[in-house]
Amino acid sequence: MLSRKTDNRSSKANKNRHTKHNNRPDKRSKMDKKKEVSFTETMKRLLDYASGDKLNVLIVLIFSITSTIFAIIGPKIMGNATTEIFNGLISKIRDGGQGIDFSKLLKIIFILTILYIISTVFSYAQSYIMSGVAQRISYRLRQEISQKINRLPMEYFDKNSKGDIISRVTNDVDTLSQTMNQSLMQVVTSVITVVGVFIMMLYINFMMTIAALIVMPLTMLVLSIIIKKSQVFFKQQQKYLGDINGKIEETFSGQNIVRGYNGERFEINEFDAINRKLYDTGWKSQFLSSIMMPIMNFVGNLGYVIVSILGGYMAINGRISVGDIQAFIQYMWMFTQPLNQLAQIMNLLQSTAAAADRIFEFLDEEEIDLSDKLPLEGPVQGNINFDHVRFGYNNDNIIIKDFSLDIKAGQKVAIVGPTGAGKTTIVKLLMRFYKLNSGKISIDGIDIESLDLESYRKNFAMVLQDTWLFSGTIMENLKYGRLDATDEEVYKAAKAAHVDRFIMTQKQGYDTILTEDSKNISQGQKQLLTIARAILSDPKILILDEATSSVDTRTEVLIQQAMDNLIKDRTSFIIAHRLSTIRNADLILVLNEGDIVEQGSHDELLAMNGFYSNLYRSQYEELEGAN
């Protein structure tokens, strides 16, 4: 029975574009017409992730403003202390007065100490809260990326480097976390400081303020040009960082092939080419951002010279007190310091924007359409129908041209043919790893494209030529086929796959830890474990793609016996190159260039004396020659 189930997930369609590197196709896909996202738009979207922490952000803003205001008031009060000391000394020298009023001075110092303590406490509190906000934003982004991976079509992973995807989850999110934690509140603090200090400078003396800031507009113009230019290099730097991670991951996972073919020099050259691009963009971005500080320091020092000369002249004429000059110079430092910090922060924020842009580009990739799908409920019979199926991984390279087939429930269907005939592609389409160009595939008369993926795929189990096991115990890997399986059911499945004996020879038995990429067991043993996992899942439809290719002949016979028991009353698809293993199939499909050229039982196909017969005899002759 079918019941309608809606899913409100929305997806944004983007076109993939391909880049080239060293005159060969790159694995990474990009959008042909990628929207240019501005720094402001990216940061605004990033800050939307803090919407769940509005109260915390408000508290941080209040603490930041309070801390900054108290820090700004400090120099003026300190200036009063300086004036008190100066006036007392002058009074003592001139007419022998009482000199410095230490009681008043101590009162000023006490007030100043309280202000700085309060400022420090508020500053610490806002940093503590903001750290939590930044980490929660990173957590949400990683969570969204993880969920996004499960909603992306298979072709995305075919066209993109795994290392680049991993880089977005790790490097880019880490960049966001660190810079947001360090920078966002610093931006607020710096802006408030600049505004507050500017007001205090005007309060002390208008003419000195104008003199101190006369070169500031030109400085801001130069900085804005530098920031705009460096942002381009920061984005490229993040991109090439992803590329280099992809290259490292690719080379590391293929070390056997690299060394077997003496490909070390080729891989070094490939790595150096990407590393050179990363170096070029890295030093350009860092150089452009690093010259902002010297520019700000030059402006600050020039301002100190102007203020010192003008302040001294005005003090001589009695138009300003010595304490106010000291406070003004300190305010000048407080004014240029946050501007210097803003220049540094813009460096970090550019890295943040570049990283966020890459993350959002990934999150905006076109997803599998999961809306308005029907859950597949009730017992599945296993009737499969291919109706004029047409498919190609690229529109200009059609592999399956016009495939039609009706398979009855419980049939054992073998698919054979030369390499590139489309055998594996057929089962991938059945699993809905890819969308058809045209045509339809049905299960029990229902179009599989209309079905909810989870309820549809739970009726399948796959044993592929390329085995996959994750880091964990053997028991955990076997239960991956059915998470609610009991230990006894696992033992039974392992015995059926003839892998129980191997497992029990391990010191830890079923609790043996498989290392990354399962390097501590052989390829054949991995194959047996994946077969046991499929047996445990108890599927209605079974797909075996060269499932016994990595086991010896004796074990293959045992596995065939286990498979014969497993596929009873189940629809099964068996892809095989060794034709001797599929003699008892109910139906053998012979594929060539994406089309069925022959079909029938083993005996029927031999009697036709056609394509299958030639394949079978060629293998038989090879065996005879080997003997």
Side-chain angles (χ1 to χ4, degrees), residues 370-413:
L370 299 175
S371 61
D372 198 28
K373 299 297 182 182
L374 306 170
L376 185 60
E377 297 181 347
V380 173
Q381 299 300 316
N383 297 294
I384 305 292
N385 178 261
F386 292 82
D387 184 15
H388 297 288
V389 170
R390 180 180 174 86
F391 172 78
Y393 293 101
N394 297 310
N395 291 330
D396 56 351
N397 184 21
I398 300 300
I399 297 174
I400 308 298
K401 300 178 180 65
D402 188 11
F403 186 88
S404 295
L405 181 67
D406 190 44
I407 301 168
K408 303 302 180 185
Q411 274 192 311
K412 178 180 179 180
V413 180

Side-chain angles (χ1 to χ4, degrees), residues 32 38 87 91 102 145 171 184 199 207 211 236 261 312 359 365 428 434 443 518 573 614:
D32 286 323
S38 70
N87 291 338
S91 159
F102 285 100
I145 291 172
N171 293 337
L184 284 185
I199 293 172
M207 288 299 298
Q236 291 178 353
Y261 283 91
I359 292 172
E365 284 286 347
K428 285 183 177 180
Y434 301 92
I443 180 170
S518 308
F573 294 84
N614 291 334

Side-chain angles (χ1 to χ4, degrees), residues 501-599:
R501 183 177 178 182
F502 150 69
I503 296 173
M504 296 310 297
T505 60
Q506 306 299 305
K507 288 184 179 180
Q508 303 298 324
Y510 283 83
D511 292 325
T512 300
I513 300 292
L514 300 180
T515 59
E516 187 177 0
D517 294 330
S518 308
K519 296 295 185 183
N520 55 338
I521 62 175
S522 71
Q523 183 65 28
Q525 290 163 344
K526 287 197 289 184
Q527 196 108 50
L528 292 172
L529 289 173
T530 59
I531 292 171
R533 184 170 62 193
I535 293 173
L536 180 64
S537 68
D538 192 23
K540 192 63 184 175
I541 302 170
L542 185 66
I543 295 173
L544 307 173
D545 187 352
E546 291 292 331
T548 59
S549 62
S550 299
V551 299
D552 59 82
T553 305
R554 179 179 175 276
T555 306
E556 182 182 31
V557 173
L558 297 175
I559 293 298
Q560 288 297 331
Q561 294 172 357
M563 287 301 173
D564 288 340
N565 293 327
L566 175 64
I567 63 180
K568 284 181 180 178
D569 302 322
R570 291 177 173 84
T571 305
S572 57
F573 294 84
I574 303 172
I575 298 174
H577 282 106
R578 283 184 274 186
L579 304 184
S580 59
T581 62
I582 47 94
R583 293 178 182 177
N584 61 345
D586 298 318
L587 177 65
I588 298 175
L589 303 177
V590 185
L591 265 62
N592 189 29
E593 296 182 358
D595 293 325
I596 300 175
V597 295
E598 292 176 358
Q599 60 179 299

Side-chain angles (χ1 to χ4, degrees), residues 468-473 475-480 514-518 533:
W468 178 81
L469 298 170
F470 58 85
S471 298
T473 66
M475 177 67 76
E476 290 170 340
N477 271 279
L478 294 181
K479 283 189 176 182
Y480 195 80
L514 300 180
T515 59
E516 187 177 0
D517 294 330
S518 308
R533 184 170 62 193

